[in-house]
């Protein structure tokens, strides 16, 4: 990773290489963190952050699902994200806000710890995978099932969901594929390890419904809205 610009940590911009946490941070041991993945694009009108408001709304919803009270307002987080992007000097980047139970009391119960918040951005052109961006993706139906929403809230963009996704990703790469497609406990398609799935069939599009245990992607929402506005039929169905 190229260390460029600054990282916002609990209200202050610090040099990229100094954005460190204690090894006994609760989230490191128990996955008690929620985060976002946001894109800033270079456009003819300048740099534009894609659907920032929706990302911030989801960030706060994810936090609530983990009993976290983010110690900043949505407006403060929004301003901090813009400030972090500006400090990076990048015209186009990936942005990662994260809120996590911090350092203080180690043991399963997270709530005695304070909530720390950090925002980083960096140049990450392909994002999670080059697959599908620079060429078609070869996908493997994973032997790992997507965690069921009755086990933990899969609607949250939470770190704890991603050990499951990482197992699927590693298995797919090890077997010579680019990406994993994950099924839910009913054997229905849920999503990729880090993306929603669409099936294009002639002039119709279908995508797994929220009940399939997916993260309700903001890109997914945009694709559905744009397709429907162009008169294309979109089904949200198993
Ligand atoms: C599991 C999972 N599903 C779907 C998505 C797509 O979400 P969005 O379009 O909001 O980036 C992501 C994004 O990282 C993801 O990790």
């Amino acid at each position: 990773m190229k260390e460029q610009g600054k990282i916002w940590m609990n209200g202050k911009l610090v040099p990229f290489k100094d954005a460190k946490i204690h090894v006994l941070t609760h989230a490191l041991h128990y996955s008690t963190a929620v985060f976002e993945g946001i894109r800033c694009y270079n456009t003819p009108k300048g740099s534009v952050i894609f659907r920032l408001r929706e990302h911030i709304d989801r960030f706060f919803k994810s936090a609530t699902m983990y009993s976290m009270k983010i110690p900043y307002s949505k407006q403060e987080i929004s301003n901090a994200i813009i400030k972090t992007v500006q400090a990076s000097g990048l015209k186009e980047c990936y942005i990662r806000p994260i809120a996590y139970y911090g350092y203080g009391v180690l043991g399963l119960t997270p709530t005695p710890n304070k909530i720390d918040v950090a925002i980083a951005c960096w140049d990450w052109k392909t994002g999670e995978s080059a697959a599908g961006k620079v060429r078609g993706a070869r996908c493997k139906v994973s032997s790992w099932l997507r965690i069921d929403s009755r086990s933990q809230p899969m609607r949250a963009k939470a770190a704890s969901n991603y050990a499951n996704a990482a197992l699927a990703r590693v298995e797919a790469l090890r077997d010579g594929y680019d990406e994993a497609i994950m099924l839910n406990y009913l054997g229905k398609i849920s999503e990729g390890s880090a993306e929603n799935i669409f099936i294009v069939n002639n002039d119709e599009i279908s995508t797994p419904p929220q009940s399939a245990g997916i993260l309700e992607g903001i890109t997914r929402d945009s694709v559905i809205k744009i397709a429907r506005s162009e008169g294309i039929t979109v089904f949200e169905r198993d």
Side-chain angles (χ1 to χ4, degrees), residues 36-37 50 55 58 94 128 146 157 162 165 191-196 214-220:
E36 272 304 317
F50 179 67
H55 278 285
R58 188 171 66 186
Y94 176 89
E128 273 300 338
R146 181 99 176 124
K157 193 166 169 71
Y162 284 88
E191 58 188 330
S193 60
E195 56 282 303
N196 294 118
I214 60 168
L215 178 75
E216 285 171 289
I218 292 162
T219 316
R220 175 183 180 276

Side-chain angles (χ1 to χ4, degrees), residues 139-149 154 164-165 168-169 171 179-193 195 197 199 208-209 211-214 238:
C139 298
K140 177 189 163 113
V141 175
S142 184
S143 68
W144 296 105
L145 296 181
R146 181 99 176 124
I147 298 170
D148 193 86
S149 289
M154 300 306 283
N164 175 236
R169 169 73 63 75
E171 179 192 68
E179 182 55 297
I181 293 178
M182 302 193 71
L183 306 183
N184 61 25
Y185 277 75
L186 298 171
K188 307 284 186 193
I189 292 175
S190 61
E191 58 188 330
S193 60
E195 56 282 303
I197 289 179
I199 296 168
S211 59
I214 60 168
D238 288 315

